[in-house]
């Protein structure tokens, strides 16, 4: 359950704070493949195009988050995380989205250590996502090539 779910279910807030200070790997899959394929209507060429657009943009957004953290700029931090979350959601990127949501729940001014630790988790999840998407796009490209032979 999410921290908010535990709180409503009678969990204590101190446990929730401890979880935010020491983030662990999100519990979901890297990508919900079925959902992603539905989003692109099982179109291999469209999947490859989406992945090709996502990869450089993800790097830019991650840099923007990192820079906002370094500058302690809460507005840019929130905006960049919101954008990343939308990107992850549209790609059915479960674990990266979970990490971004955990990070968005943190207060940059009040919880800089938790933000830094969660950024490290988000960075790992984004790297795993990129690798997974590159593999999916390669598989889609191979399937498209064999279909035309």
């Amino acid at each position: 359950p999410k921290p908010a779910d535990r709180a409503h279910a009678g969990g204590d807030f101190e446990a929730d704070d401890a979880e935010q200070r020491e983030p662990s790997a999100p519990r979901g899959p890297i990508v919900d493949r079925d959902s992603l394929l539905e989003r692109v209507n099982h179109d291999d060429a469209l999947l490859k195009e989406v992945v090709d657009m996502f990869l450089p943009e993800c790097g830019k957004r991650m840099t923007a988050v990192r820079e906002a953290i370094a500058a302690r700029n809460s507005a840019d931090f929130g905006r960049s995380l919101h954008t990343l979350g939308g990107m992850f959601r549209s790609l059915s990127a479960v674990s990266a989205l979970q990490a971004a949501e955990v990070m968005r729940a943190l207060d940059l001014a009040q919880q800089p250590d938790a933000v830094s630790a969660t950024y490290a988790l988000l960075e790992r999840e984004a790297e795993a996502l990129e690798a997974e998407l590159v593999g999916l796009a390669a598989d889609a490209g191979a399937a498209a090539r064999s279909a035309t032979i």
Side-chain angles (χ1 to χ4, degrees):
K2 294 179 185 174
D5 294 340
R6 280 196 302 278
H8 292 293
D12 66 306
F13 289 103
E14 289 177 331
D16 295 342
D17 290 344
E19 181 176 308
Q20 290 178 351
R21 278 193 304 272
E22 296 180 20
S24 60
R27 296 172 190 98
I30 295 172
V31 173
D32 179 339
R33 289 175 182 225
D34 293 337
S35 176
L36 176 56
L37 291 173
E38 283 179 30
R39 288 177 187 267
V40 297
N41 201 28
H42 297 273
D43 182 330
D44 292 338
L46 179 57
L47 175 61
K48 184 174 179 345
E49 184 178 333
V50 167
V51 169
D52 288 346
M53 288 188 318
F54 169 79
L55 295 174
E57 194 60 31
C58 182
K60 290 177 192 174
R61 295 299 104 216
M62 291 294 293
T63 297
V65 171
R66 186 174 55 251
E67 290 173 352
I69 292 169
R72 299 285 193 252
N73 185 324
S74 295
D76 287 350
F77 174 74
R79 190 173 22 262
S80 295
L81 278 172
H82 176 78
T83 301
L84 265 176
M87 292 169 59
F88 295 150
R89 187 174 290 106
S90 61
L91 287 169
S92 303
V94 177
S95 59
L97 178 58
Q98 288 173 346
E101 288 174 346
V102 167
M103 200 164 181
R104 282 187 71 194
L106 298 173
D107 183 321
L108 178 59
Q110 299 296 319
Q111 300 170 291
D113 292 339
V115 168
S116 293
T118 305
Y119 180 80
L121 170 64
L122 180 62
E123 201 166 43
R124 288 190 304 271
E125 292 302 330
E127 289 169 1
L129 173 61
E130 289 177 6
E132 182 86 3
L133 291 173
V134 167
L136 284 172
D139 291 348
R145 282 189 299 278
S146 66
T148 58
I149 295 177

